[in-house]
Amino acid sequence: MMPEISLNVLDVAENSIRAEAKLVQILVTVDPDRDQLTIQIIDDGKGMTEEQVAKVTDPFFTTRTTRKVGLGIPFFKLAAEAAGGSFQIKSVPGDGTEVTAVFGLSNIDRMPLGDISSTIHTLIVYNPQTDFYYRYSYGSSAFELDTRQIKEILGGVPLDTPEVSAYIKEYLEENKSETDGGALI
Amino acid sequence: MKSLEELNAIRNKVRARVDLRSEDENQTRVVVGMATCGIAAGARPVLNALAELVAEKGLKNVAVVQTGCIGLCRFEPIVEVLEPGKETVTYVHMTADKAKEIVETHLIKGQPVIKYTLSAAEK
């Protein structure tokens, strides 16, 4: 198991990058009224066949050759279902994959969301060839970050330039705490 | 809320200094395993620490990059240092603190930190 949900997000988004996605959308929705935390990871990568989708939650299925087990998706599914939630994957070959995990927000068995800003920062800064759209919402407040917009402003200055990397980290952290008022999630 | 306005100022400030880095042959590559095994074992802070230190020390000839699973899951987090013309050094069970030592001793002074390597762990 992953000790925090943000690490599942990092892991599953890395799958999207390996599936040659050009754009990865990560939507984190905290809904205290419905007592739900919903994570969606939507990519436009190469997608999976129905057969692969059916197998992907099986730990003994993987496409890699360096080891025989693939625990990324099973971990994420287990974390959601153990917390009174649900888990779904939709995929179309050539179109992309959409992973949705819903967690019971107040469920005692829910792992903490953890450092989601660090996950998003890591994805953005070290995968400059992939675009990311991130939206974090808490109740009726929300903020977003779109790397297509950022790259347009930067005009060729790399995302891993120390000042740019630090700015992205601050942007994510400050806007998150303004959005959720510093709630422990 | 922080806006993207500030980014304009940052771009103008750094643009003059940033020479578009090319992937030349003399570059040292520091490769961090970021598959499920690496992430579960704590690779995210290791990757961030390495990248931050390399930037902070101004090591222009070093690129910190990610890779998938290399099949040594029980040794994760794993960091490989690939220097041109030298044997690859594989560091295992990495932490952010060990990363600091590796930047200072291996990447700056050129001496691999033997005690953190795979061959030391296997003994």
Side-chain angles (χ1 to χ4, degrees), chain A residues 78-140:
Chain A
L78 184 66
E81 289 174 351
S86 62
F87 185 84
Q88 195 186 32
I89 300 189
K90 282 189 251 172
S91 192
V92 178
D95 263 13
T97 301
E98 184 177 328
V99 174
T100 306
V102 182
F103 297 79
L105 187 58
S106 63
N107 192 294
I108 188 97
D109 291 319
R110 182 179 62 79
M111 291 289 178
L113 176 61
D115 195 349
I116 188 71
S117 302
S118 178
T119 280
I120 304 298
H121 175 258
T122 300
L123 286 167
I124 290 176
V125 173
Y126 306 115
N127 298 287
Q129 74 291 353
T130 311
D131 279 313
F132 293 91
Y133 171 81
Y134 171 59
R135 184 174 196 275
Y136 177 83
S137 66
Y138 185 92
S140 56

Side-chain angles (χ1 to χ4, degrees), chain A residues 2 4 6-7 10-11 14 18 64 66-67 71-72 75 115 118-119 121-122 126-127 142-143 145 149-150 153-154 156-158 160-164 167 170-171 174-175 178-179, chain B residues 1-8 10-11 13-15 17-18 20-21 34-41 44-45 47-49 51-52 55-56 64 66-73:
Chain A
M2 294 288 183
E4 46 181 75
S6 73
L7 292 175
L10 178 59
D11 189 22
E14 294 277 354
R18 262 170 244 135
R64 92 180 71 237
T66 53
R67 59 172 144 81
L71 290 168
F75 275 168
D115 195 349
S118 178
T119 280
H121 175 258
T122 300
Y126 306 115
N127 298 287
F143 82 95
L145 186 65
Q149 228 178 328
I150 290 180
I153 296 173
L154 287 175
V157 171
D160 64 353
T161 309
E163 289 88 343
V164 175
Y167 168 82
E170 277 167 35
Y171 180 97
E174 272 184 35
N175 288 358
E178 276 191 43
T179 300
Chain B
M1 289 275 181
K2 216 173 167 63
S3 80
L4 292 176
E5 292 289 304
E6 280 173 61
L7 203 52
N8 278 308
I10 293 173
R11 179 204 54 205
K13 201 179 95 190
V14 303
R15 193 159 45 185
R17 172 169 62 72
V18 175
L20 295 173
R21 282 163 292 177
M34 292 289 286
T36 306
C37 46
I39 292 170
R44 187 179 65 188
L47 173 70
N48 287 326
E52 274 165 29
E56 195 184 298
V64 180
Q66 310 176 55
T67 189
C69 170
I70 61 167
L72 296 166
C73 309

Side-chain angles (χ1 to χ4, degrees), chain A residues 25-56:
Chain A
Q25 301 180 65
I26 298 172
L27 314 173
V28 175
T29 309
V30 188
D31 189 339
D33 291 342
R34 294 175 65 192
D35 194 31
Q36 278 181 348
L37 164 64
T38 305
I39 311 271
Q40 276 180 294
I41 299 157
I42 304 162
D43 74 49
D44 60 358
K46 58 186 169 193
M48 292 179 282
T49 62
E50 250 176 75
E51 196 194 0
Q52 283 176 314
V53 173
K55 280 183 179 166
V56 87

Side-chain angles (χ1 to χ4, degrees), chain B residues 22-35:
Chain B
S22 55
E23 306 229 335
D24 67 80
E25 288 159 21
N26 297 318
Q27 203 175 41
T28 294
R29 288 164 60 83
V30 177
V31 183
V32 184
M34 292 289 286

